[in-house]
Amino acid sequence: GDSVTQMEGPVTLSEEAFLTINCTYTATGYPSLFWYVQYPGEGLQLLLKATKADDKGSNKGFEATYRKETTSFHLEKGSVQVSDSAVYFCALSYSNYQLIWGAGTKLIIKP
Amino acid sequence: DVKVTQSSRYLVKRTGEKVFLECVQDMDHENMFWYRQDPGLGLRLIYFSYDVKMKEKGDIPEGYSVSREKKERFSLILESASTNQTSMYLCASSFPGQGANGYTFGSGTRLTVV
């Protein structure tokens, strides 16, 4: 079945460092791909999405490119801030009811 | 500002109690979902509903039931709370076929069963 695999955390970086959080997926069709972010004590918010191969989603300095050939959707940011500390979830969907979720990656940014 | 509102941020209940978690959305969404979130396990779908009075089991429905009497409200019921149901519960909603646009989540209810 379809699945999403994320790198295990926590990922700990210093402020202004470059961020990559890896996400790979297994899919039988051509899903849409998402990154969600969960700040401490909060629910999840949609961070960015891509609906077809080679699309790039971007928001708040974060980017991810839908790579069909490597079945990946890695999240990147050029210079992280303490306020980016959160849990990041990768997910896929076929425009039906359900999202299929990765396990989440906790990001800790130190000043 | 569109919202999904969960009635409680924190709840503490005793083993064996019947527990109601309420979720209300103001976006006229047809689909609503209940997830639980546990460290290392990510999000697991408990139940979802695609219309009033309709419900479907998710991946972990055991020990839970749901009610959707009105479009805007989706309730999760723990018939007899147990300590292994201590968790963060997240409600979400979406339009039908809006998988490509994702879900809107509430802020979560952290339930502790003692």
Side-chain angles (χ1 to χ4, degrees), chain B residues 20-38:
Chain B
F20 293 86
L21 303 184
E22 305 288 344
C23 176
V24 177
Q25 50 95 3
D26 65 1
M27 297 166 283
D28 204 33
H29 283 170
E30 278 79 4
N31 299 337
M32 296 188 75
F33 307 83
W34 275 106
Y35 286 91
R36 65 177 281 178
Q37 182 182 15
D38 300 288

Side-chain angles (χ1 to χ4, degrees), chain B residues 10-56:
Chain B
Y10 300 95
L11 274 180
V12 180
K13 297 292 182 180
R14 294 192 181 277
T15 300
E17 276 193 76
K18 190 169 186 175
V19 180
F20 293 86
L21 303 184
E22 305 288 344
C23 176
V24 177
Q25 50 95 3
D26 65 1
M27 297 166 283
D28 204 33
H29 283 170
E30 278 79 4
N31 299 337
M32 296 188 75
F33 307 83
W34 275 106
Y35 286 91
R36 65 177 281 178
Q37 182 182 15
D38 300 288
L41 297 177
L43 278 75
R44 292 182 290 169
L45 182 64
I46 305 172
Y47 268 97
F48 67 97
S49 168
Y50 51 89
D51 202 350
V52 175
K53 296 191 186 295
M54 306 302 287
K55 61 184 179 184
E56 294 282 344

Side-chain angles (χ1 to χ4, degrees), chain A residues 36-49:
Chain A
Y36 279 80
V37 59
Q38 184 180 33
Y39 298 105
E42 300 293 327
L44 277 71
Q45 304 173 26
L46 180 63
L47 180 60
L48 54 84
K49 66 177 184 181

Side-chain angles (χ1 to χ4, degrees), chain A residues 24-41:
Chain A
T24 56
Y25 66 91
T26 302
T28 52
Y30 303 98
S32 297
L33 301 173
F34 304 84
W35 277 102
Y36 279 80
V37 59
Q38 184 180 33
Y39 298 105

Side-chain angles (χ1 to χ4, degrees), chain B residues 55 65-69 73-77:
Chain B
K55 61 184 179 184
S65 62
V66 291
S67 173
R68 183 118 182 250
E69 296 297 319
R73 186 179 296 269
F74 191 36
S75 302
L76 180 69
I77 303 154

Side-chain angles (χ1 to χ4, degrees), chain A residues 32-101:
Chain A
S32 297
L33 301 173
F34 304 84
W35 277 102
Y36 279 80
V37 59
Q38 184 180 33
Y39 298 105
E42 300 293 327
L44 277 71
Q45 304 173 26
L46 180 63
L47 180 60
L48 54 84
K49 66 177 184 181
T51 57
K52 61 183 187 297
D54 300 325
D55 270 2
K56 179 186 282 188
S58 61
N59 187 22
K60 299 182 181 180
F62 291 89
E63 292 183 340
T65 301
Y66 188 165
R67 301 280 188 205
K68 183 164 166 267
E69 63 278 10
T70 55
T71 61
S72 65
F73 193 54
H74 304 323
L75 183 68
E76 296 181 336
K77 187 176 185 183
S79 175
V80 292
Q81 306 299 314
V82 172
S83 58
D84 294 325
S85 297
V87 181
Y88 291 81
F89 291 90
C90 186
L92 68 82
S93 173
Y94 290 101
S95 298
N96 58 6
Y97 303 120
Q98 294 190 42
L99 284 163
I100 296 170
W101 296 91

